[in-house]
Amino acid sequence: MRKIFLILGVSLFSLEAAATTCTPTPDCASLGYKYSLEECGGAAIKCPNGDGYYCTSPLAKCNLADIYYSDKTCSSADNYDITKTVLGIVIYVTDGGLHGQIMSPWPIDKSGNKISSNNTAMQWGSFGATASTLPDYRSASSASTDYDSCGNTDKIVAAGDASTYPAAWATRRYAPTSETAGKWCLPAAGIMTNIRSNQIAIQNAISKVGGVEFPSCCTWSSSEYSNHEAWISTFNYSYGLDYGMKKDLRSVRPVMEF
């Protein structure tokens, strides 16, 4: 019994001594692993003792009506950085502002060139032109839930050429920078609802960068109402939406996902 007691005594003493010399494991954030995998855009190094990640270029978190720059950063209109190239105004956000859509501060013509007024307009499509894979939204409330701007545009341009679908093709020709060429889209109807709901802040941001005020009516969306009609923006109706004949002339503003 005496020998066992001595052994236990030594063991307890050893544990007590070890406890006094242990150092706590450093917190991941304090080591620089302070981002989520989503914030790093998927390219990151995971913290060895936790769930944090490290990356050299984390994604910016943007808010509605922020100004979005070509370096993939954003700022409020009050903090507009004139030294940077403006791509657009944030008009939709997801994932806490890590992703969303921006809209050009200017309308465009059929060739995809930015223009200085809302007077230039074009058809959504020729009479009866319809992208068969597009869903039809038969009410403003249902159309206001559609945010798939680029998915809609992909379907439209796949259905025909620029003479058949001028508005969608014009957005694909818009390229304010070489890096964004081919990435611009015709906005979905839900985007128009977002603009109406946040129009004061969005119009202020457009003004800050020297853009053209978004018109109260009428800008094409990529959301279809029927074979002959598509949804347009108008601040005078519920959800900021109405629908019009695709052969009518309306203005176009490209959007891009970030």
Side-chain angles (χ1 to χ4, degrees):
M1 290 294 293
R2 183 176 178 80
K3 288 182 180 179
I4 293 173
F5 174 78
L6 288 173
I7 292 170
L8 287 173
V10 171
S11 298
L12 290 171
F13 175 80
S14 300
L15 288 172
E16 184 178 352
T20 60
T21 59
C22 283
T23 56
T25 302
D27 176 74
C28 284
S30 67
L31 295 174
Y33 299 90
K34 57 183 180 180
Y35 304 106
S36 67
L37 187 59
E38 183 69 17
E39 288 175 305
C40 287
I45 301 172
K46 189 177 185 301
C47 180
N49 52 34
D51 295 326
Y53 289 84
Y54 169 79
C55 53
T56 56
S57 301
L59 299 175
K61 288 186 177 181
C62 301
N63 299 305
L64 277 172
D66 273 0
I67 298 167
Y68 191 88
Y69 304 100
S70 60
D71 64 357
K72 299 182 180 180
T73 62
C74 50
S75 73
S76 67
D78 289 339
N79 294 313
Y80 171 39
D81 188 341
I82 62 173
T83 68
K84 293 186 177 184
T85 299
V86 174
L87 283 184
I89 308 303
V90 178
I91 36 76
Y92 175 60
V93 292
T94 60
D95 304 317
L98 292 175
H99 302 289
Q101 294 178 42
I102 61 172
M103 177 172 278
S104 166
W106 308 274
I108 60 170
D109 62 19
K110 285 185 178 181
S111 298
N113 301 312
K114 73 177 186 179
I115 51 180
S116 58
S117 77
N118 290 308
N119 295 329
T120 300
M122 67 194 80
Q123 294 179 333
W124 192 96
S126 57
F127 186 77
T130 183
S132 60
T133 53
L134 274 182
D136 285 348
Y137 294 95
R138 302 311 293 266
S139 70
S141 60
S142 62
S144 70
T145 66
D146 182 16
Y147 289 94
D148 193 15
S149 302
C150 291
N152 291 347
T153 305
D154 288 342
K155 293 172 183 175
I156 296 169
V157 299
D161 60 20
S163 63
T164 307
Y165 299 101
W169 276 95
T171 63
R172 284 294 158 88
R173 289 170 171 165
Y174 180 62
T177 64
S178 58
E179 292 81 5
T180 63
K183 296 180 180 180
W184 294 86
C185 311
L186 194 62
I191 295 300
M192 307 307 194
T193 300
N194 260 30
I195 293 172
R196 178 180 184 264
S197 300
N198 301 277
Q199 58 183 291
I200 293 176
I202 290 171
Q203 298 284 31
N204 179 53
I206 291 173
S207 176
K208 282 280 188 180
V209 302
V212 179
E213 183 179 27
F214 190 85
S216 60
C217 183
C218 300
T219 302
W220 282 124
S221 83
S222 58
S223 303
E224 207 173 55
Y225 177 83
S226 68
N227 285 359
H228 301 293
E229 296 156 310
W231 289 96
I232 55 175
S233 68
T234 172
F235 294 162
N236 302 318
Y237 290 86
S238 297
Y239 303 98
L241 295 170
D242 194 9
Y243 55 88
M245 298 295 292
K246 294 175 181 177
K247 64 182 180 62
D248 291 344
L249 300 177
R250 310 292 186 185
S251 63
V252 171
R253 294 224 185 186
V255 299
M256 187 183 75
E257 296 176 347
F258 68 89

